Amino acid sequence: MAEISRDVVVIGAGAAGLTAANDLRKAGFSVAVLEARDRVGGRLWTDVIDTAMLEIGGQWVSPDQDALIDTIAELGLETFSRYRDGDSVYVGPDGVARRFTGEMFPVAPETERAIGEITERLDAMVAEIDPDRPWEHPNAQAWDEISWDAWLREQTDDDEAVRNLAFATGSAMLTKPTHAFSLLQSLLMAASAGSYSNLVDADFILDKRVVGGLQQVPLLLAERLGDDVLLNQPVRSLEWSDPSAGSGQAAGSGQAGTGGPGVVATTDEHTVRARFAILAHAPILYNRISFVPPLPRRQHQMHQHISMGFVIKVHAVYDRPFWREAGLSGTAFSPYELSHEAYDNTNHGDERGTLVGFVSDRNADGVFELSAEERKERILESLSHYYGPEAKNPVVYYESDWGSEEWTRGAYAASFDLGGLHRYGADLRTPVGPIHFACSDMAGAGYQHVDGAIRMGHLVATNIVDASRAAGEVG
Ligand code: FDA
């Protein structure tokens, strides 16, 4: 068992953990990053599958995502725009594919009116929400006690309008059934992107990609940390002490030599003593670590009310982007289709064409009941409803199945159950003694996105530097 001493141990080498580690290094702190997997990046994973470069995890960057945009620029990476020339496609309840341009789906005038009015209402509500503190809104409790679906159905009895409004935060973002999370959670999702209108605007929220893949962000951040990033190191236990709170043993204080709070993180191969720990992974994985002493009651309770959404990201690569020849942009939506949304996801400078589709929550459960062949057939059939029969014959086909990933367990991210956000949200980022928390799943702006992960990484590093200075210590 190798023994290491650092100022800060970071658990998880995703965008959040690596951002925090780099900031702390710059502030003069020594760090060790312990990563469970054999690679860095977490939910950012760019790989070559059957000769096709695929973004298995996160990929898109939107114009409001300053923290991510700054990091991309600072790392010297280039971006390119998602292909969007031509018509989008919408499949309505009659199963007919209709072309459209702009943001409004080609629906009946009364449905369009309902969608427009409720969108305005939602934008007004979202404008009153501070994404960093949605629980502070005077209506937070009431809005957290009603499901997103139930609230929408109170606004209109037009089912097609409800389904189209619902899926922006439901299947497309939180990737849970719309009865399983609250109106407040939905408003937070929208507020994190600036407005509900931004969230439903594919040209905004899915604006750009990074040439060569978004995983370069964590790869380059990790490169700067060199040997201080240790792979294949799932943290099994975390001893901690907080003398100011009167808790037990002085974990880690020996190395820091301060007599202050400390931690000892243990993997199968390493013991890292440090003054602070950053848990930089999805909150649903905290219970994979044995905390000694246990985390406080509040955390025990709170963490049980957070769960991962579930979506399959489907990649279909064709010898050419055939839909463009038909004047289609590749952008396609339908709350009635197995793949509720799909886009042109062709790589920068690639002659081949790639479509990406998404199969969410209960639809994802359903297709995982099928054999791999049947699942592929059903999903490609759904894509063919948007793009025609040629969509059924990709040269490369791949499903990103994050539900099977032990160190993630779903996609895209985690959210509270009904009522959980106003009850617990304010405590999610609050440190416990020397243990700090950072992850996209607890961000305000950039919530559930790489931008939010980076924001949380910066925030937690600042908090640790401040806590250290307040205690009269330097890095
Ligand atoms: P993340 O989960 O990435 O990193 C945590 C790390 O901790 C992991 O590497 C994990 O292995 C490690 N870990 C966990 N437990 C551990 C333990 N006990 N010991 C040691 N290590 C441990 N976002 C976006 O902005 N644009 C997009 O287009 C998309 N699209 C998208 C598609 C898909 C399919 C997914 C899955 C996700 C997205 N996202 C996205 C979301 C985005 O990828 C995500 O929010 C961030 O990458 C999360 O970064 P974090 O660093 O917070 O956690």
Side-chain angles (χ1 to χ4, degrees), residues 12 15-16 35-37 42-43 58-60 235 280-281 412 439-440 449-450:
E35 168 53 49
R37 289 177 160 102
R43 281 171 269 176
Q59 59 169 62
W60 279 301
V235 171
H281 54 73
Y412 308 106
C439 178
S440 67
H449 284 87
V450 184

Side-chain angles (χ1 to χ4, degrees), residues 14 45 165 169 316 351 386:
W45 188 9
L165 288 156
T169 56
E351 279 177 12
Y386 298 123

Side-chain angles (χ1 to χ4, degrees), residues 346-368:
T346 303
N347 289 329
H348 183 67
D350 200 345
E351 279 177 12
R352 295 199 287 188
T354 302
L355 291 172
V356 65
F358 296 89
V359 179
S360 180
D361 58 274
R362 284 175 298 190
N363 280 334
D365 298 341
V367 292
F368 274 121

Side-chain angles (χ1 to χ4, degrees), residues 90-98 160 333-336:
Y90 173 76
V91 175
D94 57 4
V96 175
R98 292 186 176 80
E160 192 175 2
F333 304 102
S334 175
Y336 304 96

Side-chain angles (χ1 to χ4, degrees), residues 362-431:
R362 284 175 298 190
N363 280 334
D365 298 341
V367 292
F368 274 121
E369 296 290 311
L370 306 173
S371 69
E373 258 323 294
E374 282 175 303
R375 186 166 60 251
K376 176 178 173 186
E377 204 178 301
R378 287 276 311 280
I379 293 172
L380 290 175
E381 172 69 36
S382 178
L383 291 183
S384 79
H385 298 165
Y386 298 123
Y387 308 107
E390 235 180 314
K392 291 188 195 175
N393 299 308
V395 291
V396 177
Y397 175 86
Y398 183 77
E399 295 160 1
S400 300
D401 170 20
W402 288 86
S404 301
E405 290 279 322
E406 182 180 8
W407 300 105
T408 306
R409 304 190 168 202
Y412 308 106
S415 48
F416 277 107
D417 58 13
L418 204 61
L421 180 57
H422 86 280
R423 185 175 172 195
Y424 297 112
D427 289 326
L428 196 50
R429 298 188 291 253
T430 308

Side-chain angles (χ1 to χ4, degrees), residues 11-17 34-37 39-44 55-61 65 68 205-206 214 233-236 280-282 285 288-289 311 313 358 400 402 407-408 410-413 438-441 446-451 453:
I11 302 172
L34 300 174
E35 168 53 49
R37 289 177 160 102
R39 60 172 181 83
V40 301
R43 281 171 269 176
L44 295 179
E55 291 280 36
I56 294 170
Q59 59 169 62
W60 279 301
V61 185
Q65 296 180 334
L68 174 57
I205 202 80
L206 314 179
L214 194 52
Q233 301 301 321
V235 171
R236 308 289 187 195
H281 54 73
L285 293 169
R288 292 299 310 272
I289 298 174
V311 63
K313 182 175 183 181
F358 296 89
S400 300
W402 288 86
W407 300 105
T408 306
Y412 308 106
C439 178
S440 67
D441 307 20
Y447 172 52
Q448 298 224 348
H449 284 87
V450 184
D451 180 68

